[in-house]
Amino acid sequence: MGIGHLLNRTLTVWRPDVTGDGSGGQTVALVEVGEVPAKVDQPTAVERQEADQWGAEHSHTVYFDPSADVARGDELRGGGQTFRVLATVQPSRGTYLKAPVTLVQSEPGVAGS
């Protein structure tokens, strides 16, 4: 049985796209990949501790259908929130895709807020 019935939000996936700038350098821009159904949870204390050991700030865990097109480095946007994907993990049974993420918070009055 899948987790489709638990996926209560829709998030837009944005992925870094690298293009040459014509002068030997590169430009990175985020491009919209599509929308995915998701479930956003707070991580457990153990998950936060493990993330701290790796030097990553793990603020939420997002669950998806196992076939969702979500990858490390993507941004997930929806409901007024933006998350940066730290990694993706799929259990051996392939019933879901799990992504530890960091909530990106902007400061009031700063460009892009």
Side-chain angles (χ1 to χ4, degrees):
M1 180 175 176
I3 66 162
H5 65 287
L6 299 174
L7 306 178
N8 58 5
R9 291 179 67 174
T10 299
L11 298 174
T12 304
V13 179
W14 292 78
R15 184 162 294 150
D17 181 49
V18 179
T19 57
D21 66 5
S23 300
Q26 296 178 329
T27 301
V28 179
L30 292 175
V31 294
E32 185 175 340
V33 175
E35 292 184 339
V36 291
K39 180 176 188 308
V40 179
D41 283 346
Q42 296 288 333
T44 65
V46 171
E47 289 173 325
R48 283 189 159 201
Q49 183 179 14
E50 289 173 353
D52 286 344
Q53 291 173 351
W54 288 98
E57 184 180 326
H58 176 193
S59 65
H60 293 76
T61 301
V62 182
Y63 295 89
F64 309 95
D65 184 78
S67 63
D69 184 13
V70 177
R72 181 178 186 269
D74 286 352
E75 274 193 9
L76 307 171
R77 300 178 187 174
Q81 294 178 307
T82 300
F83 302 98
R84 185 164 295 112
V85 178
L86 301 173
T88 59
V89 180
Q90 196 168 51
S92 59
R93 294 183 67 201
T95 54
Y96 62 86
L97 179 66
K98 173 179 163 179
V101 301
T102 298
L103 177 64
V104 178
Q105 295 180 330
S106 57
E107 296 180 32
V110 176
S113 304

